[in-house]
Each structure stands twice: as structure tokens, then as C-alpha cells.
């Protein structure tokens, strides 16, 4: 292993995340804390049917309730809000139906908003919503992916099909590879639909000033600049007169990175009424109205040579996306990830991959932590395990034999993706130094001999992070791949930062503070940061795709070095010294011997108040930088290992050990990185064992509450052991950071399901569906 790049403190220190921001709007740390005089409250009337025609809406009783200001329908909202389509220029064949903030004549999922009640209090609005009488004619519902693809019932008759998008990719001689293979393993996988369940539900406060036609939105969202653009375009407002403020957001996970009809309806209500309007989803509402993800049926097979070389993969992915393509990013992401990341950690020559996204009468589906990467990882790893066992080979040895090595780089995969840098050799070495794999496998085998169902699963994964503009920008989608940072030296020697990153609880602000402190040479406590406000920062991407530190951190580093250079130029002039012989340490300008010469407060005072002492310099004491990668993505990679034991009587799966080895370039804050990965692992474990949104054949959600939707809690988990492998620097910029936000989720489900099947192999059965519920385990065992 090589050591991590050496950079100044506090980079590399385990600094706890600090809520240090000073909010520019001064109204509260979270959206729910904000109170605005004259603020009204909204509640939505939502369709109870999965598919229904709206015949009539009787609002008389609701409007007569004291305190009700308005009951708005789609016709009212349409006066100020345009409809939209979730298109993507790279997929011209994508069928994107027209979407409206409120359903017009037909509702297409149970929970779709039909009317908005606005009142002086939330309780009054909720009471009035119960008085709105909507007459519906139920229509046939399409619930499961296969029925949707068959297309007997058309959700959008104008397209003549329920297929939103069909895409494919083929390289190499796939048929010859399978014909000549010594071993072929095939399986049909089913992945359960689930959702993000952030601690803070979605919500916003829209405040429209009709005198200036200016809209201010306090929004629990990951991407404020994206929403500034979306609101401006759809509400027909000048973009510079739309301000979106995303204060500290209580979790996002992708659930808060798109436009929702209910949210823009609140903005439209404020414009129509000329008063601030607030809406916050309750938890029951969130289960039906928030973005869902990961409902896939994947048919896959893999071909191995007699020596265990991977010859080819073939996958056919069917992805159910709900009734519309999400806006503005479209619903191409999950299927695209299956196409491009099947087999990502391994060398092979041939691939045939198809992905089909279909409409259905369930809640909207979109981007959730990892997008489709966990699907591709699980399909790859489970197929390899099955093929290895069928061939009588050790599954771990098959992985070692086929993994992409440093000598293969840059590796052009059969998917067409080029990986300039992967570090699986370093990851395997780190894993084997920490875990006795031979002994662990022996312990599992001995347990199975004694009748216990104990198994070990291993998943290699690649996480594509920090995307460039080649996907959204090239597709004509107004989503930024850049971020920016402005730094200002204050008269007291402190540094103020304005950054376009956003804080969702992942600790990015603290990481950026560390980068700035190291870049300038000041104590961490002397740096203050403002984020999440479109009125104060660069136009930037915000939080999505594991990008904030890799892109926003790089911008902060460059701005910091530029500010440092100007400080040293001023100090050199005042000290009559060469600037190259000076340095800044802990907020003090020092000479080559380390002796203190002047403080940054002294530099700031001269620059701000006595610039006449600096003839010809014209001090700015401000530095800005914007950064966006010029590559499609930056790859992190790793290995996840799970050990489970199954109770054959109850079907319960107990997680006994979980190890993650990860490589992500420079680690700015090991504490925050470790907890990011652990949090992602927990969500992956939830998908593998517990989480699933269950619908009946009529498209009705059956478990839309915290009492019925199972989330992983401490008793279901074991300690998650974290190890960081180190490889050569990422290259391409100064810091060399790869994102980590989705790494844990990408490989966790695969590792757990591989361990479950390792345990079940002794009984000659297997499971190819997640979550691995007790009922499904007992069914596999033949107990029920």
C-alpha cells in the first residue's frame, strides 16, 4: 500500500461535524423552524385510487370553513404554472408524458395530489381537505412490472405502450462466449421497491412578492440552484428573481433532488394569493408522495471458462418507474446504471445488456442513494457466486482471478465505460490483512456441518462519483456538474466562505472548512461558511451523486490557495520580503525559519482600512474559484464482506459481521467518511433484509406507515468495520478526492444476499429476491 497524499492539517483529521453555519436569511436552521408573518398553510387532497378519472370536485363545504383562504385545483394552478415533461436529450426515444402540479382529469397513482387547501393554520387546512368531495371513476390499474410491459392496459394511451424507455448495449461475441463456456449460470432477480425515509420529511415555504415579482423559497432540498431554474422556467419568472434557500436539510438520499408537483403547487399558491404559503409532508403522506426506487426484475447469466475466467455477461433489466418520468433528470438513471455497471470490477470481453423502463400505477420512482448501482452490483456478484459453485470453484478465488488490476488501467469495459483508476489489488490486500478469509470460510463450513445455516458473502463494487457534464449537460438537462467557492479575508483575520455545496447532515460543510483552513493556513475555528442560498453563492450542483467534497472541496482548495497567495503578496510588501520565503501557519505569517512576522488580522486591517500603504497592489482580499470535472465521473471502489446466520425455524437472518474496505483517494475527514459509508451500508442492509413498499394488485400501498414499513434499527445490525485502502493519487486536480456518499449502499445488499445464499447452499436452495424476509427464506427452505 502507498500512503495517502500529505497535505497540511487539518486535512486528514477526525473533526466532528460542526453546525457552524450562519444563515444569510437569519430565519432558522431548518425549514420547519421558519415563521413568516401572514404565513398560510397548505394541505393536499390526494387521490385514493391508483388509477381514476376525476369527474367532479365539490369545494363548497371546504371553502365555507372559517380560516380557509382558498381551495385550488389544477385549473387554478395552471394560471401561473406550466406543465413539464421528464425528457433527456441523450435518450430521444424516451416517452415522457406531460405532468401537471395537480392532476387534471386523470389520477395515475394513489396519493397523486388533486387539490390544495390553503388556510390560516395547518389543522384548519387538514379539516377542510376532508370536506372536499371528489367524484372518481376508478380505472384498471397496472401494478406489477410484467403486466406493465405487456401493455394490455395503457396508462398513457397517447403513446400506445407502457414502455417509457428501452435501451441496449452489446459488445464482443456474446453468443460464442456462452456457446464455448465451460460453465453458464443464470438467474432471475427481483428487487423490492423502497424509499429513502429521511429524518426530516419534505417541505417548503414559498413567499412571493407581487410588487417585484420575486419568489423566495425556503426549501428542504438537495439542489437549490436546480430548483431556482425549475421554478423560474415553470412559473414564468426571471431566474434572478427566484431565490431558493436550502438550510440544514435533515437527510435527502436522492429523495429531495427532483421537482415535485406538490411543491411547485405551493409556490403557485403563494403567487396566486400574494402571501407566504407553507407545506410540510407528514410521515404517512411521505410514503405515497415521496420518490420510490429500485423496483426491478433482472434476468441475468454469466459464462465462465474452465479456469474460471469470466467470458461474458448478459442482463435484461425491467424497471418499473411509476406513472411518469421524473423531472428534470428523467427516469433513465437506474436502468442506465445496470447497463453500464454490470461486471464493473472485473475483466471480461463480451456483454449483452438491455434495460426497459415501464410506466405503472404506483408512486413516482426516481433517484435514491446509489441509483441503479446496487442493482448492477447484486446481479454481478450473485451470478459469480452461482457460477463458481456450479463449476466447483472458490467464489473468492474467481473474484481475485478476474478483478481489474493496475496493469489493466485505463480499463475499457465491455459496457463502453473507461475506468482510468481502480484499486482492487489494494482493497484485497487490505481485506486479507484484516480478515482471515480462510479461517472465516472454515468456521462457516464447520457450522453448516453441525446443522447451522451460516454463510459468508463478498461483493466487489465500483461507485461512479463526481460526474462531469457529459450526462446531464449533454442531454440538455439544467443540472450543474460544477461548484464554486468565494473566500473573503475579514478585517479580524477570519475567513468567510460562500459555497454552492449543500448540507444534508453528511458533514460536507465541516470537510470544506478543513480544506479551506489547510489551503490558507488558518485555524479551523477562524473559518465560517454559508451554503445553500442561491442569492449568495456560485451556481452549483448541490448534493447528488457523491460529489460535494470532490467538486466543492476542490473549488474551496483553489480559492483558498488564491487567497493565501494574495495575503502573502501583501505581507511581503509590508515586510519588505520575498513572498516565496513566507508561509502562513495557524493564521500567522511566518518566515522561512518559522518565526512569526505578522498576523492575518494585521494583514486584513491594512488591506481593508489602509490600502494607501500598499501602492500599486489594489488589495482584493477576496478569491473565488469554480470547478467541474472534465471526465465523465471519478470512481471509488471497494469490497464488502458479510457473515450471516439464518434461523431455520423462523427464517430470520442475523447479521454477525460486516466489513467494508474502500478506496476513495484523499480522505479529508476519516470520521465523517467512515460514518457516511456506515450510513450507506445500513440502508443497503435495510434493502437486503427489511425494506419493501408492498402494493396489492390494484396499486394500493399496504404498508405506508412507520409501523409497517420496516427500517433497520440497532438490534438488526452488527458493528460495521471500516478499512481504507490507499492507492496512487486520483489525478486530474489538486486534491484527488472521489466521493463516498453512495459507496456503502452500492455493495451492501449484494454482500448480504451472497452470504444468505452461502448459508442456504448447504440445503441446496437459494434466494434471488430482496428483501430476504423470513417468509421468503422459509419458502426457499420448503418450510412453507
Amino acid at each position: 500500500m502507498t500512503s495517502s497524499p500529505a497535505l497540511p492539517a487539518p486535512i486528514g483529521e477526525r473533526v466532528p461535524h460542526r453546525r457552524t453555519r450562519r444563515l444569510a436569511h437569519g430565519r432558522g436552521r431548518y425549514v420547519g423552524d421558519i415563521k413568516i408573518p401572514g404565513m398560510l398553510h397548505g394541505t393536499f387532497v390526494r387521490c385514493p385510487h391508483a388509477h381514476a378519472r376525476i369527474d367532479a370536485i365539490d369545494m363548497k363545504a371546504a371553502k365555507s370553513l372559517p380560516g380557509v383562504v382558498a381551495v385550488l385545483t389544477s385549473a387554478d394552478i395552471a394560471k401561473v404554472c406550466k406543465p413539464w415533461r421528464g425528457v433527456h436529450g441523450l435518450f430521444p426515444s424516451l416517452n415522457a408524458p406531460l405532468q401537471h402540479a395537480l392532476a387534471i382529469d386523470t389520477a395515475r397513482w394513489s396519493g397523486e395530489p388533486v387539490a390544495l387547501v390553503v388556510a390560516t393554520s395547518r389543522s384548519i387546512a387538514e379539516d377542510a381537505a376532508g370536506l372536499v368531495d371528489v367524484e372518481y371513476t376508478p380505472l384498471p390499474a397496472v401494478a406489477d412490472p410484467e403486466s406493465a410491459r405487456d401493455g394490455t392496459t395503457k396508462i398513457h394511451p397517447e403513446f400506445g405502450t407502457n414502455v417509457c424507455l428501452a435501451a441496449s448495449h452489446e459488445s464482443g461475441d456474446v453468443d460464442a462466449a456462452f456457446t464455448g463456456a465451460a460453465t453458464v449460470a443464470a438467474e432471475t432477480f427481483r428487487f423490492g421497491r423502497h424509499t429513502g425515509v429521511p429524518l426530516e420529511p419534505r417541505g417548503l415555504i414559498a413567499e412571493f412578492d407581487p410588487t417585484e415579482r420575486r419568489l423566495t423559497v425556503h426549501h428542504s432540498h438537495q439542489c437549490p440552484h436546480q430548483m431556482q431554474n425549475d421554478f423560474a422556467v415553470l412559473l414564468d419568472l426571471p431566474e434572478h428573481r427566484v431565490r431558493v434557500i436550502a438550510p440544514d436539510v435533515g437527510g435527502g438520499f436522492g429523495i429531495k433532488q427532483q421537482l415535485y408537483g406538490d411543491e411547485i403547487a405551493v409556490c403557485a399558491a403563494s403567487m396566486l394569493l400574494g402571501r407566504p404559503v407553507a407545506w410540510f409532508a407528514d410521515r404517512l403522506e411521505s410514503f405515497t408522495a415521496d420518490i420510490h426506487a429500485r423496483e426491478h426484475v433482472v434476468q441475468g447469466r454469466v459464462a465462465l471458462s474452465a479456469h474460471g475466467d469470466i467470458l461474458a455477461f448478459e442482463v435484461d433489466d425491467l424497471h418499473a418507474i411509476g406513472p411518469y418520468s421524473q423531472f428534470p433528470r428523467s427516469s433513465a438513471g437506474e436502468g442506465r446504471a445496470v447497463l453500464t455497471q454490470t461486471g464493473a470490477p472485473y475483466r471480461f470481453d463480451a456483454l449483452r445488456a438491455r434495460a426497459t423502463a415501464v410506466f405503472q400505477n404506483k408512486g413516482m420512482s426516481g433517484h435514491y442513494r446509489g441509483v441503479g448501482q446496487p442493482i448492477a452490483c447484486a446481479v454481478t456478484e450473485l451470478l459469480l457466486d452461482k457460477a463458481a459453485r456450479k463449476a466447483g470453484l472458490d467464489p473468492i478465488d474467481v473474484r481475485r482471478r478476474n478483478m481489474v488490476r493496475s496493469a489493466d488501467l485505463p480499463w475499457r469495459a465491455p459496457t463502453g465505460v473507461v475506468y482510468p483508476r481502480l484499486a482492487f489489488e489494494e482493497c484485497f490486500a487490505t481485506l486479507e490483512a484484516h480478515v482471515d478469509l480462510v479461517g472465516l470460510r472454515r468456521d462457516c463450513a464447520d457450522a453448516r456441518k453441525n446443522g447451522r445455516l451460516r454463510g459468508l458473502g463478498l461483493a466487489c463494487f465500483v461507485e461512479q462519483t463526481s460526474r462531469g457534464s457529459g450526462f446531464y449537460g449533454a442531454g440538455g438537462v439544467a443540472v450543474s456538474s460544477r461548484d464554486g467557492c468565494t473566500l473573503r479575508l475579514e478585517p479580524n483575520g477570519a475567513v468567510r466562505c460562500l459555497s454552492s455545496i449543500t448540507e444534508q447532515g453528511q458533514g460536507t460543510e465541516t470537510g470544506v472548512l478543513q480544506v479551506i483552513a489547510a489551503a490558507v493556513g488558518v485555524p479551523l475555528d477562524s473559518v465560517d461558511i454559508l451554503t445553500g442560498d442561491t442569492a449568495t453563492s456560485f451556481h452549483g450542483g448541490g448534493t447528488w451523486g457523491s460529489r460535494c467534497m470532490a467538486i466543492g472541496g476542490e473549488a474551496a482548495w483553489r480559492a483558498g490557495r488564491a487567497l493565501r497567495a494574495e495575503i502573502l503578496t501583501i505581507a511581503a510588501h509590508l515586510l519588505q520580503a520575498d513572498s516565496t520565503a513566507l508561509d502562513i501557519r495557524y493564521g500567522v505569517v511566518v518566515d522561512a525559519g518559522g518565526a512569526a512576522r505578522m498576523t492575518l488580522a494585521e494583514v486584513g486591517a491594512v488591506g481593508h482600512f489602509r490600502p494607501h500603504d500598499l501602492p500599486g497592489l489594489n488589495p482584493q482580499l477576496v478569491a473565488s474559484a469554480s470547478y467541474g470535472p472534465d471526465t465523465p465521473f471519478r470512481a471509488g471502489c471497494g469490497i464488502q464482506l458479510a457473515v450471516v446466520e439464518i434461523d431455520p425455524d423462523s427464517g430470520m437472518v442475523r447479521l454477525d459481521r460486516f466489513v467494508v474496505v474502500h478506496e476513495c483517494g484523499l480522505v479529508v475527514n476519516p470520521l465523517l467518511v467512515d460514518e457516511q459509508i456506515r450510513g450507506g451500508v445500513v440502508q443497503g442492509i435495510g434493502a437486503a433484509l427489511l425494506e419493501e413498499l408492498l402494493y396489492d394488485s390494484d396499486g394500493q400501498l399496504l404498508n405506508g406507515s412507520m409501523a409497517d414499513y420496516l427500517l433497520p434499527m440497532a438490534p438488526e445490525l452488527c458493528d460495521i468495520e471500516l478499512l481504507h485502502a490507499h492507492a496512487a493519487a486520483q489525478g486530474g486536480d489538486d486534491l484527488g478526492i472521489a466521493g463516498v456518499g453512495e459507496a456503502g449502499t452500492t455493495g451492501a445488499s449484494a454482500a448480504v444476499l451472497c452470504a444468505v445464499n452461502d448459508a442456504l447452499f448447504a440445503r441446496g436452495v437459494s434466494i434471488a429476491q430482496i428483501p430476504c424476509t423470513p417468509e421468503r427464506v422459509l419458502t426457499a427452505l420448503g418450510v412453507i
Side-chain angles (χ1 to χ4, degrees):
M1 295 190 300
T2 61
S3 60
S4 295
L7 285 166
I11 288 180
E13 295 181 3
R14 298 175 66 86
V15 178
H17 179 42
R18 307 181 305 155
R19 295 293 192 182
T20 57
R21 67 163 58 197
R22 305 293 183 265
L23 298 179
H25 53 83
R27 284 176 167 169
R29 185 174 298 283
Y30 297 94
V31 173
D33 298 334
I34 298 168
K35 308 297 179 188
I36 300 175
M39 187 167 71
L40 302 174
H41 299 265
T43 295
F44 288 94
V45 178
R46 297 182 181 273
C47 180
H49 305 284
H51 197 193
R53 186 173 64 245
I54 302 169
D55 297 320
I57 303 176
D58 186 349
M59 302 172 282
K60 294 186 184 67
K63 287 183 175 180
S64 66
L65 191 68
V68 172
V69 177
V71 180
L72 304 173
T73 65
S74 59
D76 301 307
I77 300 298
K79 296 174 183 176
V80 296
C81 181
K82 302 174 186 176
W84 60 89
R85 298 180 188 270
V87 299
H88 195 299
L90 296 183
F91 304 96
S93 63
L94 186 151
N95 290 324
L98 199 64
Q99 299 177 59
H100 300 267
L102 302 179
I104 293 183
D105 51 9
T106 303
R108 291 181 171 85
W109 86 87
S110 178
E112 184 171 4
V114 173
L116 170 59
V117 178
V118 182
T120 54
S121 73
R122 177 168 182 142
S123 60
I124 293 174
E126 289 180 344
D127 289 344
L131 299 175
V132 177
D133 184 14
V134 186
E135 294 181 13
Y136 298 99
T137 297
L139 301 172
V142 180
D144 66 89
E146 291 91 346
S147 296
R149 182 169 56 184
D150 292 343
T152 303
T153 298
K154 307 291 191 302
I155 296 174
H156 300 284
E158 66 269 26
F159 294 123
T161 178
N162 287 329
V163 174
C164 171
L165 177 66
S168 62
H169 177 83
E170 185 164 341
S171 63
D173 194 337
V174 178
D175 293 332
F178 279 98
T179 300
T183 303
V184 174
E187 187 62 86
T188 298
F189 304 93
R190 303 191 77 92
F191 298 88
R193 168 181 283 243
H194 50 281
T195 187
V197 198
L199 185 63
E200 177 197 30
R202 290 189 298 116
L204 75 163
I205 301 170
E207 183 179 6
F208 181 68
D209 180 355
T211 62
E212 295 187 355
R213 290 192 58 77
R214 188 180 299 277
L215 177 67
T216 300
V217 183
H218 304 268
H219 202 179
S220 180
H221 203 277
Q222 298 171 220
C223 309
H225 281 101
Q226 171 197 300
M227 297 312 300
Q228 179 189 36
N229 177 80
D230 292 347
F231 290 150
V233 170
L234 297 177
L235 298 172
D236 198 21
L237 295 169
E239 187 167 346
H240 67 282
R241 290 189 177 173
V242 177
R243 180 184 184 188
V244 178
I245 303 165
D248 285 340
V249 175
F253 314 122
I255 301 304
K256 300 175 182 176
Q257 73 168 30
Q258 52 273 311
L259 176 83
Y260 285 86
D262 49 24
E263 294 180 354
I264 198 169
V266 172
C267 298
S270 180
M271 294 179 67
L272 290 168
L273 301 174
R275 292 176 63 179
V277 180
W279 170 76
F280 302 96
D282 63 33
R283 191 60 71 182
L284 295 177
E285 197 171 21
S286 294
F287 276 108
T288 59
D290 284 2
I291 285 293
H292 300 167
R294 309 249 218 277
E295 185 174 5
H296 290 251
V297 180
V298 184
Q299 295 177 319
R301 60 178 185 153
V302 65
L304 295 185
S305 73
H307 298 293
D309 296 317
I310 301 173
L311 304 177
F313 280 100
E314 183 174 14
V315 292
D316 189 346
D317 173 46
L318 177 61
H319 174 209
I321 66 167
Y324 297 99
S325 174
Q326 67 152 322
F327 183 85
R329 297 165 188 259
S330 86
S331 291
E334 286 201 5
R336 178 179 179 271
V338 177
L339 285 180
T340 59
Q341 287 194 258
T342 294
Y346 305 109
R347 293 169 289 133
F348 60 103
D349 294 326
L351 170 74
R352 179 181 293 136
R354 293 177 294 273
T356 306
V358 292
F359 299 120
Q360 59 176 174
N361 295 118
K362 291 182 181 178
M364 292 279 289
S365 183
H367 294 171
Y368 170 57
R369 197 172 193 174
V371 195
Q373 295 178 113
I375 307 293
C377 179
V379 169
T380 299
E381 298 303 309
L382 288 157
L383 284 174
L384 283 185
D385 271 3
K386 188 168 186 176
R389 292 191 182 99
K390 187 175 180 179
L393 301 172
D394 184 298
I396 296 179
D397 288 344
V398 169
R399 288 171 169 83
R400 280 200 198 93
R401 182 180 183 89
N402 290 281
M403 68 184 181
V404 176
R405 301 176 184 275
S406 58
D408 303 316
L409 299 175
W411 169 245
R412 179 177 291 275
T415 58
V417 177
V418 176
Y419 296 95
R421 181 182 181 279
L422 293 170
F424 283 108
E425 291 167 297
E426 292 85 352
C427 288
F428 257 107
T430 302
L431 178 68
E432 291 176 315
H434 180 76
V435 177
D436 180 4
L437 291 175
V438 174
L440 201 55
R441 291 182 65 82
R442 183 176 59 249
D443 291 344
C444 290
D446 290 345
R448 290 194 290 266
K449 289 178 183 177
N450 293 324
R452 294 162 56 199
L453 298 180
R454 190 167 176 81
L456 180 151
L458 189 137
C460 298
F461 68 93
V462 175
E463 182 199 2
Q464 292 186 5
T465 82
S466 321
R467 291 190 179 278
S469 61
F471 183 63
Y472 289 125
V477 180
V479 171
S480 177
S481 63
R482 303 183 66 83
D483 272 299
C485 178
T486 295
L487 300 180
R488 184 173 75 229
L489 182 69
E490 303 287 22
N492 69 346
V495 176
R496 184 174 298 278
C497 167
L498 305 175
S499 174
S500 62
I501 64 162
T502 57
E503 179 60 64
Q504 317 292 308
Q506 75 273 50
T508 302
E509 286 183 353
T510 297
V512 168
L513 289 176
Q514 289 178 258
V515 168
I516 293 167
V520 180
V522 296
L524 194 61
D525 287 343
S526 69
V527 186
D528 203 6
I529 187 168
L530 291 168
T531 66
D533 190 339
T534 61
T536 63
S537 71
F538 271 87
H539 191 106
T543 296
W544 59 272
S546 304
R547 63 183 302 283
C548 278
M549 284 306 302
I551 298 176
E554 178 69 24
W557 174 265
R558 295 183 179 193
R561 299 307 279 181
L563 181 61
R564 177 184 180 276
E566 187 189 9
I567 292 169
L568 290 177
T569 298
I570 293 172
H573 183 92
L574 295 171
L575 297 171
Q576 298 184 1
D578 185 346
S579 63
T580 61
L582 300 175
D583 197 2
I584 305 173
R585 299 178 190 172
Y586 303 103
V588 177
V589 177
V590 300
D591 60 22
R597 300 298 304 276
M598 65 188 309
T599 67
L600 262 58
E602 292 172 308
V603 174
V606 172
H608 284 287
F609 308 130
R610 303 201 320 270
H612 60 274
D613 290 340
L614 303 168
L617 288 186
N618 188 24
Q620 302 296 303
L621 298 179
V622 173
S624 296
S626 177
Y627 174 74
D630 56 7
T631 55
F633 61 87
R634 180 164 286 168
C637 66
I639 304 169
Q640 300 193 26
L641 178 148
V643 178
V644 305
E645 185 154 338
I646 300 172
D647 182 341
D649 296 321
S650 68
M652 293 291 292
V653 177
R654 187 184 74 219
L655 189 64
D656 285 348
R657 190 175 185 188
F658 205 98
V659 181
V660 180
V661 179
H662 187 239
E663 201 287 321
C664 60
L666 174 69
V667 176
V668 171
N669 188 318
L671 176 65
L672 297 180
V673 168
D674 287 357
E675 300 319 310
Q676 271 282 285
I677 295 173
R678 285 193 174 98
V681 166
V682 170
Q683 287 182 301
I685 291 169
L689 299 178
L690 298 166
E691 296 185 54
E692 184 174 19
L693 290 162
L694 299 170
Y695 283 79
D696 65 16
S697 59
D698 294 322
Q700 291 295 325
L701 181 61
L702 302 176
N703 62 334
S705 75
M706 296 295 281
D708 300 311
Y709 182 87
L710 302 180
L711 290 166
M713 306 287 283
E716 286 84 49
L717 302 172
C718 61
D719 182 39
I720 299 169
E721 303 166 48
L722 257 296
L723 305 166
H724 292 285
H726 300 295
Q730 285 272 355
D733 56 28
D734 294 334
L735 294 180
I737 299 172
V740 301
E742 295 160 299
T745 311
T746 298
S749 294
V752 171
L753 190 51
C754 285
V756 167
N757 280 321
D758 189 47
L760 294 175
F761 182 68
R763 300 286 181 93
V765 299
S766 63
I767 290 179
Q769 183 174 6
I770 60 172
C772 299
T773 62
E775 179 182 11
R776 288 169 181 157
V777 171
L778 293 177
T779 299
L781 289 170
V783 176
I784 59 174

